[in-house]
C-alpha cells in the first residue's frame, strides 16, 4: 500500500471541497475534520477489497456522524470503490451519494447513518455479529462530540463493554463544535476520556487528530494493543472542524452546514495544493 498518506489525505480533502462546492452547500466542517482518520483506515489499516466490497470477513467502518458522508465518499472513490466523477453527483436527484451515508445506495457503505447516536449502536451490533461468526472482522466507528450528548451512545457503550467487544475500535471527532455552538456551551461532555474509561473501555487521546502520523500510530495501537483484554477501544481525536482551509476553520460553528461556491472551492483547492 502506498505510504504517502499525507498526499492521499490532501486529495481526499480537495475532493470533499470540490463535490460540496459543486453542489453549493454541505457539511464541510465535520467532513474536513475527519480526513486523516479516513485516510489511515482505508489506505493502511482496514482489511477490505474495493474490487470485492462485500467480501466475507471484511472490516467495517460505520460513520455514525452520517453527515460526514461526503468525506467517506471521497475516501471510497480515491480507494477505487467507484469512479471519482461520481462525486460530482453528491446529493442530487438519482445519485448514489446522498448527503448522509446509505448502505442501500453506495458501494462500500456498510451502514446507513445520519440519525445521531444510532450508527454507533449498529456498529456494536456488527461487532457482536462478527464475534458470533468468528470471522475475525474488526469494526471501526466514528462519532461526533456533539453526537456524544445522545443518551443512546452511553447505553451502547455500556453494552459493548459488557459483551467484551474487543473487535470494536471507536473514534470521537472531538472538534469541540456542533451545529449551533460549542459542545461546551450546549452540553459539555468533559472529562470525555474518564467517561469512556468508567464505561469499561480502553482509551487513547490523540492531541492532533489532523496529524497523519499521530492518527496512524494511534489507530495501530488501538488495533493491536488496546483491544486485547476483552475491552473495546475509544480513540479521542482532538481535531479542528473545517481543517485545512483557514477561512472555513474561522467560521467556527458556522462551518457546520454551509454554502460553498464552486469558485470558493477552487481557490481553496489551489491553496491546499500550493498553487495559489
Ligand atoms: C438525532 C439527530 N438529531 C439532530 C440531528 C441534526 N444534526 C446533524 S449534525 C448535528 C450536529 C452534530 O455535531 P457533532 O456530533 O459535533 O458533529 P461534527 O462537529 O463532527 O459535525 C446535528 C444536531 C441529527 N442528524 N440526528
Ligand atoms: Mg463536533
Amino acid at each position: 500500500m502506498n505510504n504517502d498518506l499525507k498526499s492521499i489525505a490532501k486529495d481526499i480533502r480537495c475532493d470533499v471541497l470540490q463535490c460540496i462546492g459543486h453542489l453549493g452547500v454541505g457539511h464541510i466542517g465535520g467532513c474536513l475534520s475527519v480526513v486523516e482518520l479516513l485516510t489511515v483506515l482505508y489506505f493502511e489499516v482496514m482489511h477490505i477489497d474495493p474490487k470485492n466490497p462485500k467480501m466475507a470477513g471484511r472490516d467495517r467502518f460505520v460513520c455514525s456522524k452520517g453527515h460526514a458522508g461526503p468525506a467517506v465518499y471521497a475516501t471510497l472513490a480515491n480507494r477505487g470503490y467507484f469512479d471519482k466523477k461520481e462525486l460530482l453527483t453528491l446529493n442530487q436527484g438519482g445519485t448514489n451519494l446522498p448527503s448522509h451515508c446509505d448502505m442501500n445506495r453506495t458501494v462500500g457503505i456498510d451502514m446507513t447513518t445520519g440519525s445521531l447516536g444510532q450508527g454507533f449502536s449498529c456498529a456494536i451490533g456488527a461487532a457482536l455479529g462478527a464475534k458470533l461468526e468468528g470471522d475475525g472482522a474488526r469494526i471501526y466507528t466514528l462519532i461526533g462530540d456533539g453526537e456524544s450528548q445522545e443518551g443512546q451512545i452511553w447505553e451502547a457503550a455500556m453494552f459493548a463493554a459488557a459483551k467484551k467487544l474487543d473487535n470494536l475500535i471507536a473514534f470521537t471527532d472531538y472538534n469541540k463544535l456542533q451545529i449551533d455552538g460549542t459542545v461546551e456551551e450546549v452540553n459539555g461532555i468533559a472529562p470525555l476520556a474518564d467517561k469512556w474509561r468508567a464505561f469499561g473501555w480502553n482509551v487513547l487521546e490523540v492531541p492532533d487528530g489532523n496529524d497523519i502520523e499521530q492518527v496512524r500510530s494511534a489507530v495501530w495501537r488501538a488495533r493491536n494493543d488496546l483491544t486485547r483484554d476483552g475491552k473495546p477501544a475509544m480513540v479521542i481525536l482532538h481535531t479542528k472542524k473545517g481543517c485545512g482551509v483557514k477561512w472555513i476553520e474561522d467560521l467556527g460553528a458556522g462551518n457546520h452546514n454551509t454554502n460553498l461556491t464552486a469558485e470558493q472551492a477552487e481557490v481553496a483547492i489551489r491553496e491546499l495544493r500550493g498553487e495559489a
Side-chain angles (χ1 to χ4, degrees):
M1 183 63 53
N2 177 359
N3 255 348
D4 196 5
L5 297 177
K6 228 173 160 173
S7 99
I8 296 169
K10 191 181 283 184
D11 289 345
I12 292 171
R13 189 163 264 118
C14 290
D15 287 338
V16 167
L17 287 161
Q18 196 191 15
C19 68
I20 292 182
H22 186 73
L23 181 67
V25 63
H27 292 99
I28 303 173
C31 281
L32 295 182
S33 59
V34 296
V35 168
E36 282 71 22
L37 172 67
L38 294 171
T39 304
V40 168
L41 286 178
Y42 278 90
F43 284 83
E44 190 170 281
V45 178
M46 282 170 63
H47 173 58
I48 46 173
D49 180 0
K51 300 291 170 247
N52 185 10
K54 297 277 184 197
M55 179 175 72
R58 68 191 179 281
D59 289 346
R60 273 37 170 215
F61 174 70
V62 178
C63 188
S64 190
K65 45 166 275 188
H67 56 286
V72 184
Y73 307 151
T75 306
L76 291 172
N78 276 278
R79 188 70 172 81
Y81 279 84
F82 49 82
D83 199 306
K84 276 176 85 161
K85 275 190 239 141
E86 222 185 293
L87 293 174
L88 296 182
T89 69
L90 177 69
N91 211 20
Q92 289 172 13
T95 186
N96 292 321
L97 308 177
S99 63
H100 295 62
C101 299
D102 184 336
M103 65 190 283
N104 295 312
R105 289 219 251 170
T106 313
V107 177
I109 296 287
D110 278 320
M111 185 49 65
T112 300
T113 53
S115 184
L116 296 172
Q118 295 188 359
F120 186 60
S121 288
C122 295
I124 288 169
L128 185 57
K131 282 260 173 198
L132 294 171
E133 284 288 320
D135 65 6
R138 287 184 171 85
I139 313 300
Y140 297 86
T141 185
L142 170 67
I143 62 175
D145 46 5
E147 182 179 11
S148 304
Q149 295 157 348
E150 295 281 354
Q152 183 170 357
I153 293 290
W154 300 100
E155 180 181 352
M158 192 162 65
F159 181 83
K163 297 296 170 194
K164 301 191 177 356
L165 298 181
D166 54 9
N167 57 342
L168 177 68
I169 299 152
F171 301 88
T172 301
D173 180 10
Y174 205 179
N175 57 32
K176 323 291 186 303
L177 294 169
Q178 55 188 88
I179 198 167
D180 49 8
T182 67
V183 171
E184 196 51 42
E185 71 199 9
V186 174
N187 185 8
I189 57 175
L192 190 59
D194 290 347
K195 287 190 170 81
W196 284 100
R197 275 190 205 103
F199 272 75
W201 290 53
N202 283 325
V203 181
L204 186 58
E205 287 204 65
V206 179
D208 184 350
N210 298 116
D211 180 290
I212 208 105
E213 276 310 319
Q214 287 187 31
V215 175
R216 191 178 185 211
S217 63
V219 176
W220 280 116
R221 199 172 149 222
R223 180 193 180 281
N224 294 335
D225 300 333
L226 299 183
T227 43
R228 276 206 300 220
D229 53 359
K231 289 185 179 186
M234 167 54 77
V235 181
I236 298 173
L237 302 162
H238 291 267
T239 59
K240 215 178 261 174
K241 200 159 174 170
C243 182
V245 186
K246 178 79 169 59
W247 70 266
I248 296 178
E249 285 174 23
D250 289 345
L251 292 175
N255 73 24
H256 181 73
N257 186 20
T258 194
N259 294 332
L260 183 75
T261 66
E263 292 72 27
Q264 285 174 315
E266 214 174 288
V267 172
I269 290 167
R270 263 193 263 121
E271 275 173 20
L272 274 169
R273 295 212 177 281
E275 296 163 2

